[in-house]
Amino acid sequence: MNFSESYTFVLEMTVRDYELDYQGIVNNANYLHYMEHTRHEFCASAGLTFAQMHERGIDPVLSHVEIDYFHPLRSDDRFFSCLKIARRGPRFIFIQDLYLADGTPVVKARITVACLENGRLTRGDVLFDAFSKYLTEV
Amino acid sequence: MNFSESYTFVLEMTVRDYELDYQGIVNNANYLHYMEHTRHEFCASAGLTFAQMHERGIDPVLSHVEIDYFHPLRSDDRFFSCLKIARRGPRFIFIQDLYLADGTPVVKARITVACLENGRLTRGDVLFDAFSKYLTEV
Amino acid sequence: MNFSESYTFVLEMTVRDYELDYQGIVNNANYLHYMEHTRHEFCASAGLTFAQMHERGIDPVLSHVEIDYFHPLRSDDRFFSCLKIARRGPRFIFIQDLYLADGTPVVKARITVACLENGRLTRGDVLFDAFSKYLTEV
Amino acid sequence: MNFSESYTFVLEMTVRDYELDYQGIVNNANYLHYMEHTRHEFCASAGLTFAQMHERGIDPVLSHVEIDYFHPLRSDDRFFSCLKIARRGPRFIFIQDLYLADGTPVVKARITVACLENGRLTRGDVLFDAFSKYLTEV
C-alpha cells in the first residue's frame, strides 16, 4: 500500500523485542510510544523539534487519546506509523494509524494535543504557524 | 477523599522518577502502565491472576482505550488508581480514574477489554464468573 | 530474612506484569529501574530528593554499573531491594542487592555515581554532607 | 569513523524522546534496551531470531553486565551501536559499545549471556554453531 497518499507523514518502524510482554505481543502502552516518536519526527521534519520548543517554554501535552486496537504486533514485525494533523479550536488533533506492510490495520488513534507556554494553556499559534501547510480536515 | 465509596478497587501508588520525561512530568504512555497494573492487581484480588489465565490459554487484550488527561503527575506525587468494571456484550469495560490525595483528577479512562482463548475471541465466560459480583453499570 | 541488619535501606517491591518480556521474566533493563527508584527513595528518606537536587543544578549520573543476575523475577514476585552506600574519592558506590523474601538472591549490583553541578563533574560535597551518616566501607 | 572495521555488527539508531528522563538525557536503563535490540538484530542477521529460539525452548539470559557511561545521549542524537562476540566456556561475551557519529564513546559494555534450554543451563551449542564464524577473542 502507498500510505503517503492518505497521510501527511509516514515512519517505517520495526518491533523491538523488549517492547513485547509475556503474551508475546507488543504491550498496549508501547503504541503510545510509537505514536509520540512519530509526532516528534514529524515536527522535526516540519522544522520544529520538541527540544527546541521546550527551550522556548512551549510544551505540547496530551489532553485526550482514543485508540482502537485491531491487530497485535509481534516479534520482527515491520509496520508503518502514519499521521495526519488537523486544528480544533486551540488544540491539534493528530490522526495516527499504524499498519502492517500489507495494509492490515494495527491500531487507529486520535490524539488531541494542547499547547502549554510556561505552564499555561495557549492558542498554540507558534505551532499553527509551523504546521499550517500540513493541516487537514477531520 | 474516600475513593473506595465510588470505586470497586483502589490502589495507592507513587510516581517513580524514571517514569518522568524531559518535561518533568510522567510520560503519557506510563498512565497505561499504571492502569494495567491496577487491573492486574484487581484481578489477583478477585482470585484470578493474569499469569494463571495465560497458562489456561486465556488472554485478555485491549480493544479500545479512551483517556482524558487533566493534571500531569510529577516527581514524588502519590496518587490513587481507582477502578470499576462493567459488562458490554462479550467485552469488559474498565472505568479507571486516577486522583491526587486531595481529589484532583489526574486522568480518567475507559478501557475496553476483549477475551482471547487460544488466540480466538470468546464471550469471556471464565472472567464473567470471576468478576460477576464486581460488575457495575456504566 | 532480616535484610535491614545488612543494608542501610530496604524497599519492598512487587513485579508489575508490564515489566515482563516474552520469556515471562522481568526484562534485564528493568532491574536498573528498580535500583534507580530505590536510590531515589533512599535519598528522599535522607532528606534530599532528586527533584530538589535538579532544581539546585545538581545531577547525579551513573558512571559505572556492574550487575550479576542470579534468579529471574516472574509475575507476582515480591522482592526486597536493598542498598548500602560508600565513598570512593569523588564518587559514590551504591551496593544494591535484590532478594526474594526467602533470601534467594535475584541480582547483585554495584552502581558508581558521579555528581554533576551545572553540567560539570564535582566532588559531590552537597551529597556527602547529606549521606555522611550512612556511608559504609566496601 | 568506520565502526564496521572494528566490530562485527553495527546498528545505526536515533534517540526517541520518550527515552529521556527529567534531566533531559537518556535514562540509564535504556542503554540496556539499545544493546538488547542490537543483539537481537545481530542474531537475526546471523539467521537465528530470538522468537525462533524461544519456540525451540532456547532462552538466552543475561548473567553479568558491566557498563561504563562516558557521554549521555540527548534528544535527536544519532548513534552507532556496535557489537563483537566471544566465547568464554559455556557463555557468550558480547562487547557492546555505542558511539556518536564523530567517534565520541557514549557507553562501553561487556554483556555475558548464558543459554537456558527448557529452563536449564546448557553449553549453548545451538548458538555456538550459529555464531561460530563471528566469534572473536576478548
Side-chain angles (χ1 to χ4, degrees):
Chain A
M1 282 187 60
N2 187 348
F3 301 108
S4 52
E5 281 180 8
S6 311
Y7 294 91
T8 303
F9 185 76
V10 178
L11 189 65
E12 191 174 351
M13 301 180 77
T14 307
V15 170
R16 300 176 178 180
D17 284 347
Y18 63 78
E19 296 163 342
L20 305 175
D21 63 19
Y22 68 99
Q23 296 179 336
I25 58 179
V26 167
N27 182 270
N28 64 80
N30 286 323
Y31 295 98
L32 281 177
H33 279 161
Y34 295 154
M35 291 188 267
E36 176 184 314
H37 181 55
T38 307
R39 288 194 303 279
H40 289 215
E41 290 286 302
F42 162 69
C43 291
S45 80
L48 200 58
T49 72
F50 273 67
Q52 290 163 344
M53 286 190 259
H54 186 60
E55 275 166 29
R56 290 164 64 179
I58 302 172
D59 279 315
V61 294
L62 300 202
S63 64
H64 185 70
V65 161
E66 278 191 62
I67 310 174
D68 282 298
Y69 294 86
F70 293 103
H71 179 86
L73 290 173
R74 296 179 179 277
S75 187
D76 299 320
D77 277 346
R78 310 200 79 193
F79 59 96
F80 293 83
S81 180
C82 305
L83 176 155
K84 282 189 287 194
I85 181 172
R87 181 173 192 168
R88 183 69 49 87
R91 299 181 195 272
F92 295 93
I93 315 279
F94 287 88
I95 308 295
Q96 297 199 247
D97 301 337
L98 277 56
Y99 299 92
L100 296 181
D102 68 3
T104 303
V106 172
V107 299
K108 290 182 177 246
R110 187 174 279 240
I111 311 286
T112 308
V113 172
C115 210
L116 302 183
E117 281 189 52
N118 303 312
R120 302 185 56 165
L121 196 64
T122 70
R123 297 189 60 252
D125 290 333
V126 174
L127 276 71
F128 282 120
D129 290 348
F131 297 152
S132 58
K133 68 176 169 183
Y134 303 105
L135 294 176
T136 58
E137 299 295 316
V138 286
Chain B
M1 281 187 60
N2 188 348
F3 301 107
S4 53
E5 281 180 8
S6 311
Y7 293 91
T8 302
F9 185 77
V10 179
L11 188 65
E12 191 174 351
M13 301 181 76
T14 307
V15 171
R16 299 177 179 178
D17 283 347
Y18 63 77
E19 297 163 342
L20 304 176
D21 63 18
Y22 67 97
Q23 295 179 335
I25 58 178
V26 167
N27 182 269
N28 64 82
N30 286 323
Y31 295 98
L32 281 177
H33 280 161
Y34 296 154
M35 292 190 266
E36 176 184 313
H37 181 55
T38 306
R39 288 194 303 278
H40 288 216
E41 290 286 302
F42 163 69
C43 291
S45 79
L48 198 59
T49 72
F50 273 68
Q52 290 164 346
M53 287 190 258
H54 185 60
E55 276 167 29
R56 291 165 65 178
I58 301 172
D59 279 315
V61 293
L62 300 202
S63 65
H64 185 70
V65 162
E66 278 191 61
I67 311 174
D68 282 298
Y69 294 85
F70 293 103
H71 179 87
L73 290 172
R74 296 177 180 278
S75 187
D76 298 320
D77 277 346
R78 311 202 77 194
F79 59 96
F80 293 84
S81 179
C82 306
L83 175 155
K84 283 188 288 195
I85 180 172
R87 182 173 191 166
R88 182 70 50 88
R91 300 181 193 274
F92 295 94
I93 315 280
F94 288 87
I95 307 295
Q96 299 199 247
D97 301 336
L98 276 59
Y99 299 92
L100 296 181
D102 67 3
T104 304
V106 172
V107 298
K108 291 181 176 247
R110 185 173 281 239
I111 312 285
T112 308
V113 172
C115 210
L116 301 184
E117 280 189 54
N118 303 312
R120 301 184 55 165
L121 196 65
T122 70
R123 296 188 59 250
D125 290 334
V126 173
L127 276 72
F128 282 121
D129 289 350
F131 297 151
S132 58
K133 69 176 169 184
Y134 303 105
L135 294 176
T136 59
E137 299 294 319
V138 286
Chain C
M1 282 187 58
N2 187 347
F3 300 107
S4 53
E5 281 179 8
S6 310
Y7 293 91
T8 303
F9 185 77
V10 179
L11 188 65
E12 193 175 349
M13 300 179 77
T14 307
V15 170
R16 300 177 179 179
D17 284 347
Y18 63 78
E19 296 163 343
L20 305 175
D21 63 18
Y22 68 98
Q23 297 179 335
I25 58 179
V26 167
N27 182 270
N28 64 81
N30 286 323
Y31 295 98
L32 281 177
H33 280 161
Y34 295 154
M35 291 189 268
E36 177 184 313
H37 181 56
T38 307
R39 288 194 304 279
H40 288 215
E41 290 286 302
F42 163 70
C43 290
S45 80
L48 199 57
T49 72
F50 273 67
Q52 290 164 344
M53 286 191 259
H54 186 60
E55 275 168 29
R56 291 164 63 178
I58 301 171
D59 280 314
V61 294
L62 300 201
S63 64
H64 185 70
V65 162
E66 278 191 61
I67 312 174
D68 282 298
Y69 294 86
F70 293 103
H71 179 88
L73 291 172
R74 294 177 182 280
S75 187
D76 298 320
D77 276 346
R78 311 201 77 193
F79 59 97
F80 294 84
S81 179
C82 306
L83 175 155
K84 281 189 290 194
I85 180 171
R87 182 174 190 167
R88 184 68 50 85
R91 299 181 194 273
F92 295 94
I93 316 281
F94 288 87
I95 308 295
Q96 297 199 247
D97 302 336
L98 276 57
Y99 299 92
L100 296 181
D102 67 4
T104 303
V106 171
V107 298
K108 289 182 177 247
R110 187 174 280 239
I111 311 286
T112 308
V113 172
C115 210
L116 302 184
E117 281 189 52
N118 303 312
R120 303 185 54 166
L121 196 65
T122 71
R123 297 189 58 251
D125 290 334
V126 173
L127 278 70
F128 282 121
D129 291 349
F131 297 151
S132 58
K133 68 176 171 184
Y134 303 105
L135 294 176
T136 59
E137 299 294 317
V138 286
Chain D
M1 280 187 62
N2 187 348
F3 301 108
S4 53
E5 281 180 8
S6 311
Y7 294 90
T8 302
F9 185 77
V10 179
L11 189 65
E12 192 174 350
M13 301 180 75
T14 306
V15 170
R16 300 176 179 180
D17 284 347
Y18 63 77
E19 296 163 342
L20 305 175
D21 63 19
Y22 68 98
Q23 296 179 336
I25 58 178
V26 167
N27 182 270
N28 64 82
N30 286 324
Y31 295 98
L32 281 177
H33 280 161
Y34 296 154
M35 292 189 266
E36 177 184 312
H37 180 56
T38 307
R39 289 194 304 278
H40 287 216
E41 291 286 302
F42 163 69
C43 291
S45 79
L48 199 59
T49 71
F50 273 68
Q52 290 164 346
M53 288 191 257
H54 186 60
E55 276 167 27
R56 291 165 63 178
I58 301 171
D59 280 315
V61 293
L62 299 202
S63 65
H64 185 70
V65 161
E66 277 190 62
I67 311 173
D68 281 299
Y69 294 85
F70 293 103
H71 180 87
L73 290 173
R74 295 177 181 279
S75 186
D76 298 320
D77 276 346
R78 311 201 78 193
F79 59 97
F80 294 83
S81 180
C82 305
L83 175 155
K84 281 189 289 194
I85 179 170
R87 182 174 190 166
R88 183 67 52 85
R91 299 181 194 273
F92 294 94
I93 315 280
F94 288 87
I95 308 295
Q96 296 198 250
D97 301 336
L98 276 58
Y99 298 92
L100 297 180
D102 67 3
T104 303
V106 171
V107 298
K108 291 181 176 247
R110 186 173 280 239
I111 311 285
T112 308
V113 172
C115 209
L116 302 183
E117 280 189 54
N118 303 312
R120 301 185 54 167
L121 196 64
T122 71
R123 297 188 60 252
D125 289 334
V126 172
L127 276 70
F128 282 121
D129 290 350
F131 297 150
S132 59
K133 69 175 170 186
Y134 303 105
L135 295 176
T136 58
E137 300 294 317
V138 286

